[in-house]
């Protein structure tokens, strides 16, 4: 991939990267503040949210978040 191609895709990549980081930070804050999860523990969910890009935070909100 050359620099011209990267510049061409940059307007599409920047919003995706910002959305990914926002979702990851939101999920991480939720994991750290709430003590109950449907399954697993805090360490497991922190690792999933941080190391599985894009999908990790979505997995947490869909399956891991406990009752409020």
């Amino acid at each position: 991939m050359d620099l011209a191609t990267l510049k061409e895709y940059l307007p599409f990549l920047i919003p995706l990267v910002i959305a990914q980081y926002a979702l990851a930070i939101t999920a991480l804050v939720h994991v750290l503040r709430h003590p109950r999860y449907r399954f697993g523990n805090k360490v497991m969910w922190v690792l999933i949210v941080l190391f599985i890009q894009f999908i990790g935070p979505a997995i947490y909100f869909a399956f891991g978040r406990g009752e409020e």
Side-chain angles (χ1 to χ4, degrees):
M1 182 182 289
D2 62 350
L3 191 56
T5 305
L6 183 62
K7 283 184 180 180
E8 181 181 333
Y9 288 115
L10 210 53
F12 301 107
L13 293 176
I14 290 174
L16 288 175
V17 169
I18 291 171
Q20 191 272 327
Y21 279 116
L23 186 59
I25 290 169
T26 304
L28 186 61
V29 168
H30 196 276
V31 167
L32 295 174
R33 287 190 177 172
H34 293 87
R36 289 182 292 249
Y37 312 100
R38 288 186 195 155
F39 64 90
N41 60 18
K42 188 176 290 198
V43 173
M44 180 190 84
W45 285 114
V46 167
L47 293 174
I48 288 173
V49 166
L50 291 179
F51 293 116
I52 302 177
Q53 298 297 319
F54 291 109
I55 299 171
I59 291 172
Y60 170 72
F61 284 122
F63 301 110
R65 187 173 64 176
E67 307 288 324
E68 297 282 333

